[in-house]
Amino acid sequence: MTKPYSARTPSHDLSGLWTGFYAYDLNDDAVPFTAWISEDDGTITGSVLEDDITSPEPDGECTSEIIGERRGLDVRFTKIETAGPDGSLELLRYQGDTDPECCVISGVWFFDDPAESSGTFMMTRISGALKAVIQPAAANESQFGRTTED
């Protein structure tokens, strides 16, 4: 059984493995991603793995690097993608907030050019300094009203 959210040990930074999604302009399907984040004294670095929605390959993936900062609950980072066959870089800006336990980040993303797409994102920590404790359901007396010896 997972500990209740309020009973988990709080993390003091964003370091860890995250899963999330982003969407364009609030009306398209969400694109899932996985991120590895390292935070050191408020500086965020890491990488992102996601489906390559521009690839003609059905299972195409792409990786990006991220760099940014966290100040209190405010989180800002830039995702650096290699775009196009010429190897040019594309920068996407992310701005959001984290909860006090540093388990969820949500906000908006945008390009530097306001004429380009923008959207929302949300990500949830899946491991790191904050880990859920799982107990086998059969060992939990209160859940089934019996012990494992029954």
Side-chain angles (χ1 to χ4, degrees):
M1 172 189 245
T2 303
K3 283 185 180 181
Y5 186 74
S6 61
R8 295 179 182 174
T9 305
S11 176
H12 298 289
D13 68 34
L14 301 174
S15 297
L17 185 62
W18 294 73
T19 185
F21 66 87
Y22 65 88
Y24 285 81
D25 300 320
L26 301 174
N27 58 9
D28 287 336
D29 291 334
V31 177
F33 65 85
T34 303
W36 177 256
I37 295 177
S38 178
E39 181 182 343
D40 183 23
D41 197 27
T43 299
I44 298 169
T45 57
S47 59
V48 175
L49 176 66
E50 63 189 89
D51 291 340
D52 186 350
I53 60 175
T54 63
S55 173
E57 300 297 321
D59 294 325
E61 294 179 329
C62 61
T63 58
S64 306
E65 299 300 315
I66 59 172
I67 187 165
E69 65 182 5
R70 179 178 66 91
R71 300 287 179 244
L73 301 180
D74 182 54
V75 179
R76 296 170 187 249
F77 59 90
T78 299
K79 183 168 78 171
I80 305 163
E81 294 182 348
T82 302
D86 63 352
S88 61
L89 298 179
E90 190 167 65
L91 306 178
L92 290 93
R93 312 296 180 175
Y94 286 73
Q95 293 181 353
D97 297 304
T98 185
D99 63 316
E101 288 80 21
C102 293
C103 296
V104 177
I105 304 170
S106 62
V108 297
W109 64 267
F110 53 90
F111 291 94
D112 288 332
D113 181 350
E116 292 200 46
S117 298
S118 62
T120 59
F121 77 98
M122 187 172 107
M123 51 199 290
T124 305
R125 181 194 303 270
I126 56 178
S127 75
L130 179 66
K131 296 182 180 180
V133 177
I134 299 173
Q135 300 171 342
N140 188 347
E141 266 186 321
S142 63
Q143 185 173 357
F144 298 105
R146 63 178 187 205
T147 65
T148 55
E149 289 86 50
D150 290 345

